[in-house]
Every structure is written in C-alpha cells, then in structure tokens.
C-alpha cells in the first residue's frame, strides 16, 4: 500500500515538473519599448525568444492600421519601422509568431509606444562615462546646435 502511494506521488510530481516550465515560459514578456524616431521602434524582451514567421501589426488610437516592416530580430529584441506614423499619437502593436525560448508554443505579445509631436525633440538616453567625466545624450530626432548650454544638477540641487 505504501509503495503504491509513493509511486503515485512520484508520478504526479514528474507530471507537474514537466508541465510547470512550459506554463511559466509560454509567452515572452516585454521589458522595454522605445520609439527611436522616423517610425523606428525597438522592443526588448526580458528573456530570450524564438520566432516563426513573425509579423508585426500597428494601430493608432483611432484604430487606423499602419504598414510595418521588421528591420531586425535577434534572441532578445525585435525592431520594426512603421510607415508614415502620425505625430503626437499613441500606438499599439502586436508581434505574432514569437515564443519564449523554453516554450514550445508560438503566440503573440502586445505593447504600445507614442510618437512625439512634429518638431518636438526629447532626450532618449543619457550616458555618463565616469572615467572621462563625459555625458552623452541621444535624442529622439535630429537636432541642430547653436549656443548650446547644458546644466546638470545633483540630487542636492548643486
């Protein structure tokens, strides 16, 4: 009787162990979405992913669909370009044919991004090189410089 119970318990544990990783890794998770300007969007995943005939669809807040071209895909990101997005609008996108690396099922993942107003330039990324004591700025669009002044304050306002 005890052997039968232990055998049954082991069988249940093995079935659970086989099912849990697939269930946990079924859909990839988006870590970050970045609008890079000129219709370019980068989507970073939290984990490695695989693709099978991936497609990206994009709609604006009014439900209008946009033409999209995938420009790069690798094990933890996908980049695409939206043809002629309207400035100042919010967009949702869906990537199909993607799965988490350890999952067996391909599915979809969705996210959103915003296109800034025309002429509006924002700082996309700031990097500080501690050794050279230099600060680099990346902007969301092209910028022109004339009499540039940069002000940097620490947490105390100095």
């Amino acid at each position: 009787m005890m052997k039968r119970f232990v055998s049954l318990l082991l069988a249940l544990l093995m079935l659970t162990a086989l099912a849990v990783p697939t269930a946990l890794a079924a859909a990839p998770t988006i870590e970050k979405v970045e609008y890079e300007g000129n219709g370019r969007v980068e989507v970073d995943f939290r984990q490695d992913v695989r693709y099978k005939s991936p497609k990206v669809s994009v709609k604006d807040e009014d439900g209008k669909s946009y033409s999209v071209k995938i420009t790069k895909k690798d094990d933890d990101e996908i980049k695409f370009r939206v043809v002629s997005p309207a400035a100042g609008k919010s967009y949702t996108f869906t990537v199909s044919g993607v799965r988490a690396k350890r999952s067996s099922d391909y599915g979809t993942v969705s996210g959103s991004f915003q296109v800034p107003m025309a002429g509006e330039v924002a700082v996309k990324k700031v990097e500080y090189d501690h050794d050279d004591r230099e600060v680099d700025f990346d902007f969301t669009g092209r910028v022109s410089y004339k009499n540039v002044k940069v002000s940097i304050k620490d947490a105390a306002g100095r």
Side-chain angles (χ1 to χ4, degrees):
M1 179 80 167
M2 186 64 161
K3 282 185 179 181
R4 190 173 188 191
F5 176 74
V6 170
S7 296
L8 181 61
L9 184 61
L10 285 173
L12 287 172
L13 286 173
M14 287 175 41
L15 285 173
T16 304
L18 290 173
V20 168
T22 302
L24 292 177
T29 306
I30 293 176
E31 181 175 344
K32 178 179 74 167
V33 177
E34 185 175 343
Y35 181 74
E36 296 180 330
N38 298 325
R40 296 183 321 264
V41 179
E42 177 181 329
V43 179
D44 293 323
F45 297 104
R46 289 187 193 269
Q47 68 278 74
D48 286 351
V49 297
R50 297 290 183 259
Y51 304 96
K52 182 176 184 181
S53 303
K55 290 184 176 35
V56 179
S57 61
V58 173
K59 290 186 177 185
D60 66 17
E61 56 202 30
D62 300 323
K64 178 182 174 189
S65 295
Y66 288 78
S67 180
V68 179
K69 179 183 180 195
I70 296 173
T71 57
K72 179 183 177 186
K73 58 184 187 299
D74 63 24
D75 62 354
D76 66 348
E77 74 177 3
I78 188 167
K79 291 183 177 185
F80 56 90
R81 186 173 184 281
V82 181
V83 177
S84 301
K89 287 199 171 194
S90 297
Y91 295 84
T92 57
F93 65 88
T94 301
V95 180
S96 62
V98 64
R99 68 173 172 88
K101 184 178 178 181
R102 297 179 189 255
S103 174
S104 60
D105 299 327
Y106 288 91
T108 62
V109 64
S110 298
S112 62
F113 62 93
Q114 290 188 328
V115 175
M117 294 296 293
E120 179 182 312
V121 177
V123 175
K124 178 170 60 171
K125 181 169 57 171
V126 177
E127 292 179 348
Y128 176 66
D129 184 335
H130 189 70
D131 295 334
D132 294 335
R133 297 177 57 119
E134 293 178 349
V135 179
D136 290 324
F137 298 92
D138 289 339
F139 297 95
T140 57
R142 293 183 182 267
V143 295
S144 298
Y145 301 101
K146 183 176 184 179
N147 299 327
V148 176
K149 294 179 183 177
V150 177
S151 176
I152 299 176
K153 294 182 181 181
D154 66 9
R158 296 180 295 228

